[in-house]
Amino acid sequence: MAPLAETSCDSTSLAFSADHSVINLDANANAAPTAMVLSAVVEAMTSGAGNPSSGHLAGDLARAIVERARDAVIGLLGGAYEDGVVFTSGCTEANNTVLRGLASHPARTLFVSAVEHASVLKVAQRLEVEGTEVRVVPVDAGGIVDLIELEVGLQDSRDRGLISIQTANSETGVIQPIAAIADLARRYGAIFHADAAQSFGKIRTVLGRGHGPDVITLSGHKLHAPAGTGAIVNGGAAIEYAPLIVGGDQEHGRRAGTQSVPLLAGLAAACKQRASALDADVATMSTLRDRLESSIRTLLPWTVVNGAGAPRLPNASNIRFVGVDGMALVANLDAEGILASQGSACSSRRPEPSHVLTAMGLSEAEAFSSVRFSVSPLNTHQEIDQAVQIIVAAASRLRGGL
């Protein structure tokens, strides 16, 4: 495996103006909490709930909040293995736990796609150094994993493989052929893990042997829940993994440490809110994304949508502004109150081109000229139209006479 560029998740505070003039088109990095989520967090902090591991009334109250959060995650997924939800601090911890726990106990060949998030690729690099065989599966120009290459690798593998391929990409929104990958896993006796951080609550994910991933990992703050919430969800496979964090017996001994009751209350609220309006929210996001994309393409016909020919999440659009410095465009938009990015929030400040886009065959120059926009149901048509005007003006200005 080629080394992945060092990433930085440092951030500075941003004071949103009282008139809400900032338009968040970077929901794949962080979707702002809804009023219901904020209310749930505050209520949990002021309700007298204690430590979920305590044996008194306050502990009982805290445990009830944690279990409601577990039920809410399962409810949004449409079902999961009983006691199959393990809470973590986010998807990065969840990915580390699953990959390190399953790749080496016992030893398995690890298959990852070339467009995985850094929290998968960097773990794979570490495991490879420690002796795990790692195979990187390429993707086509649309960002779809090469199923033939994956099957050849599974056939050649001398052990039960571990497949770690995301449900959908955070930069392009491209959705992978999950059912087909699950079928390959079943046929060759491999375990299938999928990073579902971006797809959770945006597309329906079926878990279970032969139909979907055996285990998924997810993050709450992509779904309007507080940052610092995540989970590992077992779809019913008879798998065990060594916990990454050891200590107490929290989370059935699979993740030590006192659960954050207020944050999990917020996660529960976010999951319930999305579950109650999933189809409507998906339709809203799709309409907003298409409005943004088609308007920019009409006004700037020299732009290109990366991954446009592949199935994509309803909210994400990665647009190549030919002849424009993408970093400069993001900075210009930021100065005018439009939040966008060049890729994953954990890597968007790096000077290297996106590994996702270059894996899809784009040149470094093409990758550097690309910008990701991602909407949420909190956005409005008026915001999209306002943002388009600013994006078009900024991109035209930066492109100059080209």
Side-chain angles (χ1 to χ4, degrees):
M1 276 185 71
L4 198 67
E6 288 298 321
T7 61
S8 171
C9 290
D10 294 338
S11 61
T12 54
S13 62
L14 173 65
F16 287 83
S17 60
D19 61 1
H20 303 287
S21 59
V22 172
I23 299 175
N24 184 14
L25 298 184
D26 199 19
N28 277 5
N30 188 69
T34 64
M36 185 179 296
V37 168
L38 292 172
S39 177
V41 172
V42 172
E43 182 179 350
M45 295 183 72
T46 58
S47 65
N51 188 317
S53 298
S54 297
H56 45 59
L57 183 60
D60 292 342
L61 177 59
R63 278 193 300 278
I65 293 173
V66 172
E67 293 312 310
R68 284 198 294 272
R70 223 180 297 279
D71 290 342
V73 169
I74 293 173
L76 181 52
L77 287 170
Y81 182 58
E82 185 178 359
D83 294 330
V85 177
V86 177
F87 288 123
T88 66
S89 63
C91 202
T92 290
E93 181 194 329
N95 285 339
N96 273 257
T97 300
V98 170
L99 294 190
R100 295 196 68 85
L102 291 179
S104 56
H105 300 284
R108 292 184 175 92
T109 300
L110 174 60
F111 297 86
V112 297
S113 84
V115 294
E116 296 300 310
H117 188 270
S119 61
V120 167
L121 291 179
K122 284 200 169 185
V123 177
Q125 289 173 2
R126 183 74 60 84
L127 288 169
E128 190 173 40
V129 170
E130 295 171 0
T132 297
E133 182 180 359
V134 176
R135 299 196 183 192
V136 180
V137 184
V139 298
D140 63 18
I144 300 293
V145 68
D146 188 331
L147 292 175
I148 294 176
E149 188 80 12
L150 175 59
E151 183 168 13
V152 169
L154 289 167
Q155 289 172 338
D156 292 343
S157 177
R158 296 186 299 272
D159 50 51
R160 291 184 64 208
L162 169 60
I163 302 169
S164 182
I165 293 179
Q166 61 197 196
T167 51
N169 189 264
S170 64
E171 296 187 27
T172 63
V174 169
I175 300 171
Q176 296 297 341
I178 296 303
I181 297 170
D183 182 62
L184 286 175
R186 177 188 58 80
R187 286 162 52 195
Y188 291 96
I191 293 175
F192 178 21
H193 158 255
D195 176 342
Q198 290 297 344
S199 68
F200 182 56
K202 297 172 189 171
I203 60 174
R204 298 187 186 278
T205 302
V206 177
L207 278 72
R209 199 69 178 149
H211 302 288
D214 297 305
V215 58
I216 65 170
T217 44
L218 55 89
S219 185
H221 68 281
K222 318 293 186 182
L223 190 69
H224 308 283
T229 55
I232 302 167
V233 184
N234 183 352
I239 56 176
E240 289 294 335
Y241 49 82
L244 184 69
I245 298 178
V246 297
D249 293 328
Q250 294 91 347
E251 298 301 297
H252 307 286
R254 289 171 288 183
R255 199 277 189 180
T258 302
Q259 299 96 331
S260 175
V261 175
L263 297 187
L264 291 179
L267 176 62
C271 289
K272 290 178 181 177
Q273 191 168 17
R274 179 56 56 84
S276 68
L278 179 59
D279 292 339
D281 283 351
V282 168
T284 295
M285 289 186 285
S286 181
T287 298
L288 293 171
R289 190 276 306 276
D290 291 350
R291 187 184 187 96
L292 174 77
E293 227 173 55
S294 62
S295 297
I296 292 175
R297 291 281 295 117
T298 298
L299 295 170
L300 302 176
W302 38 267
T303 55
V304 179
V305 177
N306 296 318
R312 290 182 294 155
L313 293 175
N315 77 314
S317 180
N318 193 294
I319 301 178
R320 189 180 348 142
F321 294 84
V322 180
V324 174
D325 183 332
M327 290 185 67
L329 178 56
V330 169
N332 273 251
L333 297 180
D334 185 29
E336 299 200 53
I338 308 296
L339 306 185
S341 68
Q342 279 205 292
S344 167
C346 289
S347 56
S348 61
R349 296 176 66 183
R350 67 187 181 203
E352 291 80 14
S354 161
H355 74 282
V356 172
L357 298 181
T358 55
M360 292 167 60
L362 273 67
S363 68
E364 287 194 4
E366 290 172 330
F368 275 129
S369 69
S370 299
V371 174
R372 179 188 73 179
F373 302 98
S374 46
V375 302
S376 83
L378 299 182
N379 290 118
T380 66
H381 286 237
Q382 182 180 4
E383 285 182 332
I384 296 300
D385 292 342
Q386 180 182 346
V388 166
Q389 292 180 7
I390 296 172
I391 293 167
V392 168
S396 299
R397 183 169 62 250
L398 290 170
R399 194 168 190 254
L402 295 178

